[in-house]
Amino acid sequence: MRRVDRMNMIAIMIAVSFSVSSIASAQQFFPSIELDCTYSEVEFELPESDISTVQCSVENPHSYSEKVELGYGSEEIQVSGPTTITVEGGEKESFEVSMRVGSTVYFGNHEVNVSAHVSEAGGVPVGIITGSEEFMITAMVPEWINCFVNYGIGSLTVDAGEDASFSASYSCESNKNQSLDVELHLVSNEASQESMWPSGFNDISEQSCRVEISGGDGVVNCQFLVTTPSNIEEAWEGCLVVLDERTLSSMSCSEEDSLALVVNPKETGIGDIGLGGNGSVFEDLGLSDDSGPYMAGAGVAFVCAITLGLYLRRRA
């Protein structure tokens, strides 16, 4: 009995060994392909470039040639590359995979699939019995945003003490849903960037302005009201700049998309002649200082004549 068990055990071991050898031989002969890519992660450089490329390769481990069908897939990213490639026995062939991200693709990580499938081996169709090799690429889409302002007018001129009122349309494009405060900045023509607002200038706009970006873009119309100083002696020239909260301080008027602003001093009235100014009454009347004594004498004579006339009238 023991001898029979030993014989059965030996037979089983021989059968198993033969089976393993047959499977190994079949695997070496069975059509297959090895797929690889240089990078498993790529990042787009938006908004400068919306295209990214990766080098991939397929290697044929067998002695016969193989025709390979290539496929690409992604839910949001456009992927392209060669659809078929022939690889000779023991050789490796490289190909380029191009990925393009549209303006509507949201920021974040997106999966890109590259697949390779042997359709012919040694000129014989074998696609029905071969599987696919796959390589996954993670494409990282960074956040981007572009904003623009339209003032509708080229410049704004007011008198000192008068409020400056204007409207502006602020629009943004982005691959992220977000909201941004839209703010007003004031810069003098002589300044290289915004600093503390001069005395008398104040933003007294009744309502705050905020742009809502959804589905790729957003736009808002803003109304602004600014007070101006009333005691300036010379015209103030500068600009108004509308920017969102990402920018804390405006650059110069020439560097920004701005609205030119001029505040003129108030004109001097008749009631101000000879009062509160640096000039004399004679200068205000267009007379020289040398005319002073003659004008004073004429004034005295005129007063004396009136006084004498009144005296004689009473005597009469």
Side-chain angles (χ1 to χ4, degrees), residues 93-149:
E93 295 290 339
S94 298
F95 60 97
E96 184 177 84
V97 178
S98 176
M99 293 165 284
R100 184 170 186 174
V101 58
S103 59
T104 59
V105 177
Y106 287 99
F107 82 104
N109 294 337
H110 300 267
E111 297 298 327
V112 175
N113 176 269
V114 181
S115 62
H117 175 237
V118 179
S119 59
E120 292 184 8
V124 179
V126 293
I128 195 172
I129 61 172
T130 56
S132 295
E133 291 290 323
E134 296 185 349
F135 191 95
M136 298 299 297
I137 301 173
T138 300
M140 295 174 285
V141 178
E143 176 186 347
W144 64 269
I145 181 171
N146 289 323
C147 293
F148 313 90
V149 61

